[in-house]
Amino acid sequence: MDPVIIVGAGPVGLTLALLLARQNVPAVVLDEGPGKDEPRPARTVVLREDTAALLERLTGVALGEHGVRWAGWRSLRRKQVVSEVAFDAAGLAAPLHIAQYVITNALRAALADEPLVKVAVDSRLDAVEQERFGVTAHTRGPKGTWWRGSYLVGCDGPRSTVRKLQDIRFPGRTAVERHAVAALRAELPWEGQTLLHRMPPWRSSGPSAGEVTARPLPDGVWRLDWLLPPGKDLVTPELLVARIRETLAGWTDSATPTYELLDTGVHTVHHRLARRWRAGRVFLAGDAAHLLGALGTQGLEEGLRDADNLAWKLATAWHHGPYEALLDSYQTERRAVVAARLRAADQALPVLRGGGGLRNIVPGATRGHDTLLADGHLGRGPLGASGTYADSPLAPRHLEAVIPVGTEPGAPVTDVRVTAEDGSFVQLRDRLGRGALLVVLIAPGTGVWDRKHWVSAGVMPRLAAAVTALPHPAELLVAESYPGAPAHSVLLVRPDGHLVTALSGVRPADLYAAAEAALGGAAREQQHREERRETTATTATTASATTAEAGSAAR
């Protein structure tokens, strides 16, 4: 079968290629550039625990050594500390702040050793043609040619050629926020902490007061972002240097300290959402499908989750034939999650940036506004939290043995230690991304006994037999505990780490039904019925025509 064609060699496209290769699906990455990224210290991303772990699994690189995991978060209004979070003390996972080119280089290095992936540099897409059993793409440039693929995924950014060729609308808002950005080396009083400073006292009142964010990077480097007032005023070097000097002086209560300016830029945030994320055998992911980022939300994170969601579904269809309902669920699940975050940001923007209104009417509204902003930056609440697929078409229905656990169905599972089938202890997250469903038995005490003593005892033989009979490859894992899960409960987890369901005990029929649903079961069966009816009707028509022809010949 032909490889999957991936258009775009940014972090999302490269991540998708590696995810497919880990599931034995070949891919071709069409890179319109020369195959390397220019180091830009001012172009950085913030990764939550799950997305950072995803990239580390794929690249084998400890990203924490190339970025900074925040020690804490501090929010100020004028000179007053509004809120503080110490991640270690609070037991929260610290976000990772890292330069984007570091991520891209790590992904490229991993792909260089991957025989199933070909990266074609200097290859700019200019045509896409679809047929029933495949897709063909044409590239122009020094190595312009036709490429044949099974599917095509556009990861080619905000100005996506793939999206335009498929005539997919991309409505939304332009320039929702603008930020002046600088990466500089300096000593600031919040080592390892991120600071959000609203209405700093050294600036005049009004829209120009804005806010400034400081986020640490390795080797004493900081990324500073100043919110700019609405409009298209040019950010001159002189204006940016003036902001740097007054900000550093204000934070240190002294003359401007010594600093080294490394990189600058202007970051403009747009909010857009593609009408469709699938057109036959063509899909959109990352910035080609959505743009978001106001109020601290991170667009790259959602792009990485797009790739994680789509990869196992494409791999299933590639290996096992057409799973149309499963492929359709990519758009249904991911678009709903991104749309919810966009709505939350668009609803909060007028209140947070309006400069009046509720702030002057509702007591304590200002503190609530700062909480909203913190949520966006820290990955919490409707602005920042990763979405769940609770209303997914892949969610099982009417299972008798379902029980509640600490993770809601459709949400990412908690990373707990498990025993693998070979008896080794691993983290649950390490078993993701291989294309197999995960079946996790909660069995207290198994961690202190050798596997040979319990693998053939109790419910294990029955559960192992049930796992073998599932309609999709699955791996059986055992955990001593899981948040909110009683002993002998069984969790079914998708290849992208989202919980399908939790069952009380070993229920082979329910487990099979849940696995079938997670693959688009009911819709797939309906599709098969329609195909059978179509085949039967075609056969009957052909038989009738043959009979008529025979009768005519006899006459």
Side-chain angles (χ1 to χ4, degrees):
M1 193 170 175
D2 295 318
V4 174
I5 299 173
I6 299 170
V7 183
V12 175
L14 299 176
T15 296
L16 178 60
L18 279 171
L19 283 165
L20 290 171
R22 296 295 188 269
Q23 298 171 66
N24 297 313
V25 177
V28 173
V29 180
L30 303 182
D31 183 358
E32 70 176 36
K36 58 182 179 180
D37 281 24
E38 177 187 358
R40 290 290 309 276
R43 190 177 186 186
T44 64
V45 296
V46 178
L47 300 176
R48 316 303 172 197
E49 184 183 23
D50 60 334
T51 47
L54 168 66
L55 293 175
E56 289 181 339
R57 285 199 310 273
L58 293 174
T59 63
V61 175
L63 295 180
E65 298 177 2
H66 303 276
V68 170
R69 295 190 185 276
W70 298 346
W73 163 272
R74 177 175 296 189
S75 179
L76 275 69
R77 172 175 288 275
R78 300 190 187 279
K79 292 185 177 182
Q80 179 184 3
V81 176
V82 177
S83 65
E84 288 186 273
V85 176
F87 289 105
D88 289 340
L92 301 173
L96 173 67
H97 185 217
I98 188 170
Q100 182 168 310
Y101 75 87
V102 174
I103 295 173
T104 307
N105 288 344
L107 290 166
R108 288 187 185 277
L111 281 173
D113 298 326
E114 181 49 70
L116 286 177
V117 179
K118 173 182 176 60
V119 179
V121 300
D122 299 318
S123 299
R124 185 178 181 85
L125 181 78
D126 62 5
V128 173
E129 297 178 0
Q130 290 196 61
E131 307 93 39
R132 183 178 178 185
F133 297 107
V135 60
T136 306
H138 184 264
T139 55
R140 56 186 172 88
K143 300 179 181 179
T145 186
W146 287 95
W147 301 87
R148 179 67 180 175
S150 54
Y151 299 94
L152 184 145
V153 186
C155 305
D156 48 343
R159 296 180 175 86
S160 171
T161 301
V162 174
R163 189 184 64 241
K164 293 172 184 175
L165 289 173
Q166 297 304 304
D167 196 25
I168 297 174
R169 292 184 59 202
F170 198 39
R173 301 172 58 197
T174 300
V176 175
E177 287 186 350
R178 293 172 68 236
H179 296 262
V181 181
L184 52 87
R185 184 175 284 109
E187 290 188 14
L188 295 181
W190 311 285
E191 184 176 357
Q193 291 188 332
T194 288
L195 173 74
L196 172 65
H197 198 162
R198 304 193 71 196
M199 303 184 72
W202 56 83
R203 293 200 54 80
S204 61
S205 61
S208 62
E211 65 189 38
V212 57
T213 307
R215 288 173 283 198
L217 287 163
D219 303 322
V221 176
W222 294 79
R223 169 173 166 165
L224 272 58
D225 290 59
W226 292 268
L227 177 66
L228 298 172
K232 298 182 179 179
D233 295 340
L234 183 65
V235 181
T236 64
E238 294 78 15
L239 175 63
L240 188 54
V241 168
R243 292 211 171 195
I244 292 172
R245 294 176 63 86
E246 70 180 4
T247 299
L248 296 182
W251 282 343
T252 56
D253 292 324
S254 62
T256 304
T258 302
Y259 69 93
E260 178 186 0
L261 184 59
L262 304 176
D263 191 19
T264 62
V266 175
H267 175 52
T268 303
V269 176
H270 308 286
H271 278 180
R272 295 189 178 276
L273 186 64
R275 292 289 192 193
R276 293 179 293 142
W277 291 25
R278 182 188 184 190
R281 289 180 172 266
V282 175
F283 298 82
L284 300 178
D287 287 351
H290 51 77
L291 294 175
L292 71 165
L295 306 178
T297 57
Q298 290 288 325
L300 177 59
E301 279 221 313
E302 294 297 359
L304 295 175
R305 293 186 178 113
D306 293 345
D308 201 17
N309 183 291
L310 181 58
W312 74 274
K313 297 173 181 179
L314 282 177
T316 300
W318 196 91
H319 286 295
H320 306 292
Y323 273 70
E324 293 303 315
L326 184 64
L327 294 176
D328 283 341
S329 72
Y330 164 67
Q331 171 178 305
T332 305
E333 291 180 341
R334 292 299 307 147
R335 193 177 186 279
V337 166
V338 175
R341 290 189 71 179
L342 281 171
R343 281 195 301 271
D346 285 341
Q347 289 168 1
L349 270 168
V351 176
L352 293 172
R353 305 299 192 215
L358 291 176
R359 181 181 303 161
N360 298 327
I361 300 172
V362 182
T366 296
R367 185 172 296 273
H369 299 167
D370 289 309
T371 299
L372 268 178
L373 274 173
D375 286 348
H377 284 273
L378 300 179
R380 306 182 306 197
L383 281 179
S386 59
T388 68
Y389 306 141
D391 297 325
S392 167
L394 307 182
R397 307 286 192 268
H398 313 302
L399 301 180
E400 295 181 359
V402 172
I403 57 172
V405 295
T407 301
E408 295 182 2
V413 292
T414 301
D415 190 28
V416 298
R417 191 178 81 152
V418 296
T419 305
E421 292 181 348
D422 61 1
S424 61
F425 292 110
V426 296
Q427 291 301 120
L428 177 57
R429 193 174 277 150
D430 292 337
R431 314 308 286 184
L432 301 175
R434 303 181 179 202
L437 297 169
L438 302 181
V439 179
V440 185
L441 171 67
I442 311 305
T446 51
V448 298
W449 295 97
D450 193 284
R451 181 177 179 272
K452 65 183 179 182
H453 295 304
W454 51 260
V455 70
S456 59
V459 301
M460 279 298 293
R462 187 165 179 243
L463 180 57
V467 170
T468 303
L470 291 180
H472 189 76
E475 181 179 9
L476 176 57
L477 304 168
V478 180
E480 279 212 76
S481 63
Y482 187 89
H488 300 152
S489 54
V490 175
L491 312 182
L492 181 63
V493 182
R494 297 177 3 166
D496 59 355
H498 288 254
L499 180 67
V500 178
T501 191
L503 303 173
S504 174
V506 179
R507 306 293 182 96
D510 278 359
L511 188 62
Y512 188 97
E516 191 176 45
L519 300 171
R524 179 170 165 79
E525 181 58 32
Q526 177 64 25
Q527 174 192 340
H528 284 170
R529 283 196 295 269
E530 291 174 357
E531 289 174 352
R532 285 195 294 269
R533 281 198 297 268
E534 204 173 288
T535 302
T536 301
T538 302
T539 303
T541 302
T542 303
S544 298
T546 303
T547 302
E549 289 174 5
S552 176
R555 287 193 294 271

